[in-house]
Amino acid sequence: MGAVGTALAGALASAGHEVVACGRRPLSSIEVTDGEAATTHPVRWAAEPGDVGPAALTILATKIHDTAGAADWLAASTSEGGDVLVAQNGVDQAERVGPLVGTDRSGTDPSGAGPRGAVVPALVYINAERTAPGVVRTRRTDCDLVVPGGEEAARVTELLAGAGLAVERSADFTTAAWRKMLTNVSANPITALTGRRVEVLAEPQVAELAMRVLTEAVAVANAEGASLDDADARDVLTWLQALAPGSTTSMLQDREAGRPLEYDGLTGTVVRLGDRHGVDVGANRALLSLLSAVSPAPGAGAR
Ligand SMILES: NC(=O)C1=CN([C@@H]2O[C@H](COP(=O)(O)OP(=O)(O)OC[C@H]3O[C@@H](n4cnc5c(N)ncnc54)[C@H](OP(=O)(O)O)[C@@H]3O)[C@@H](O)[C@H]2O)C=CC1
Ligand SMILES: CC(C)(CO)C(=O)C(=O)O
């Protein structure tokens, strides 16, 4: 459980759900501070996949490059079905996680057709800052999560009911995912590279760079089937500039903690797709070069 996992776990615990924390460090409770109010919730810690047991809902909230590392946890919690909410950034959550869920991974079932739950992508708009293991500060706007339309996402949304989360359904999830991606290919690299929180995006020269990054990403998004324009790029920058004072990014937190940076599935994706579609992605490529100089791409094979 990191920043997002703890924030979502706190919300589910407050709705009365039993929460199991799958992780490498023992955890008996979590604390979530939203605004001034801190709430503490008990959790059961599972030290290894064999301790998890079947779950009605599994939330995967690792960094993109750690997805494959979570495979045994996912196989264990979905061995009898149950849905998976993929609370990760990027644009291909379902493709990334689908193969890891609910299939017989022992090799004894050649059809690979174990029980299957649904894999539902979630675009996370909660700004979550982990200040200690199991301790998180959230800064929220009027939307916490965006999930697709359809029956499977409706079932997951129902499970989340009562958790105090503002969940939106999007009938055009490709566009919604790329809109969220715009926040991450601009704010995350720029904050991580400058070592400053999102307020850095208010500086005129930085805002100009962010707009170049965003307009390139909009062209890539549209080549991938999204429906965005330069006004959306402007809106995303305005949204980022209006985030609560002190808001950070997941990539800046990783840089500060000396952890690998999650750029391959974000800026790396924009650059690869830009090259494939013949879209100029010069500003994104420059950020990618700088990010790779700061931290070698972790798990580039685990996109
Ligand atoms: N933080 C934020 O505000 C936002 C983040 N996001 C996205 O959400 C996703 C999660 O981000 P965030 O919560 O910030 O990330 P964190 O780094 O805070 O949390 C990731 C967690 O995954 C755990 N983990 C990684 N590999 C394994 C494994 N093999 N087994 C068990 N646990 C594992 C880590 O454990 P350990 O602590 O032991 O390393 C860590 O606790 C990312 O895709 C991010 O881009 C989206 C919106 C906002
Ligand atoms: C929107 C933003 C930039 C902040 O929550 C984010 O998604 C992240 O930190 O990864």
Side-chain angles (χ1 to χ4, degrees):
M1 263 187 201
V4 165
T6 305
L8 295 177
L12 284 163
S14 71
H17 293 285
E18 185 201 353
V19 173
V20 181
C22 308
R24 311 189 252 229
R25 270 177 292 206
L27 207 58
S28 58
S29 68
I30 55 173
E31 182 187 299
V32 182
T33 300
D34 188 31
E36 292 303 305
T39 48
T40 304
H41 309 276
V43 294
R44 175 169 79 77
W45 178 53
E48 51 185 69
D51 299 340
V52 180
L57 179 67
T58 300
I59 297 181
L60 176 68
T62 65
K63 292 286 159 42
I64 295 170
H65 49 256
D66 286 324
T67 302
D72 288 344
W73 293 103
L74 288 168
S77 68
T78 60
S79 60
E80 294 181 18
D83 298 315
V84 177
L85 189 71
V86 186
Q88 293 179 324
N89 280 329
V91 288
D92 54 1
Q93 292 89 348
E95 292 80 354
R96 194 185 304 144
V97 177
L100 307 179
V101 171
T103 50
D104 182 342
R105 304 179 69 249
S106 66
T108 53
D109 174 3
S111 75
R116 274 187 84 84
V119 174
V120 174
L123 310 171
V124 181
Y125 278 90
I126 302 169
N127 195 283
E129 180 178 4
R130 177 166 45 155
T131 53
V135 182
V136 163
R137 169 175 290 282
T138 58
R139 297 173 178 89
R140 292 162 70 179
T141 57
D142 55 356
C143 170
D144 294 319
L145 300 177
V146 179
V147 297
E151 253 175 54
E152 295 173 335
R155 191 169 62 229
V156 170
T157 308
E158 237 170 75
L159 269 172
L160 298 174
L165 295 167
V167 183
E168 282 179 17
R169 311 281 309 280
S170 172
D172 178 2
F173 196 72
T174 300
T175 297
W178 275 100
R179 186 176 282 114
K180 177 70 214 303
M181 180 81 149
L182 293 182
T183 68
N184 299 119
V185 297
S186 52
N188 295 22
I190 290 175
T191 54
L193 289 168
T194 59
R196 290 180 55 187
R197 295 192 176 220
V198 292
E199 92 285 335
V200 72
L201 295 167
E203 301 214 350
Q205 281 161 318
V206 178
E208 199 182 309
L209 169 64
M211 273 309 290
R212 283 182 49 206
V213 168
L214 287 165
T215 47
E216 288 176 6
V218 162
V220 173
N222 290 342
E224 284 287 298
S227 195
L228 294 166
D229 58 28
D230 288 351
D232 293 300
R234 169 65 53 198
D235 287 351
V236 164
L237 182 58
T238 304
W239 182 85
L240 287 165
Q241 290 167 333
L243 285 175
S247 293
T248 183
T249 67
S250 48
M251 199 183 284
L252 174 57
Q253 292 179 68
D254 283 340
R255 175 127 203 232
E256 288 168 340
R259 294 188 291 256
L261 304 186
E262 184 192 41
Y263 56 83
D264 185 68
L266 307 175
T267 306
T269 296
V270 167
V271 169
R272 275 191 298 278
L273 292 175
D275 287 346
R276 187 182 304 163
H277 293 295
V279 172
D280 171 27
V281 285
N284 282 278
R285 196 187 308 281
L287 292 181
L288 187 60
S289 305
L290 295 173
L291 291 165
S292 63
V294 169
S295 138
R303 282 161 205 152

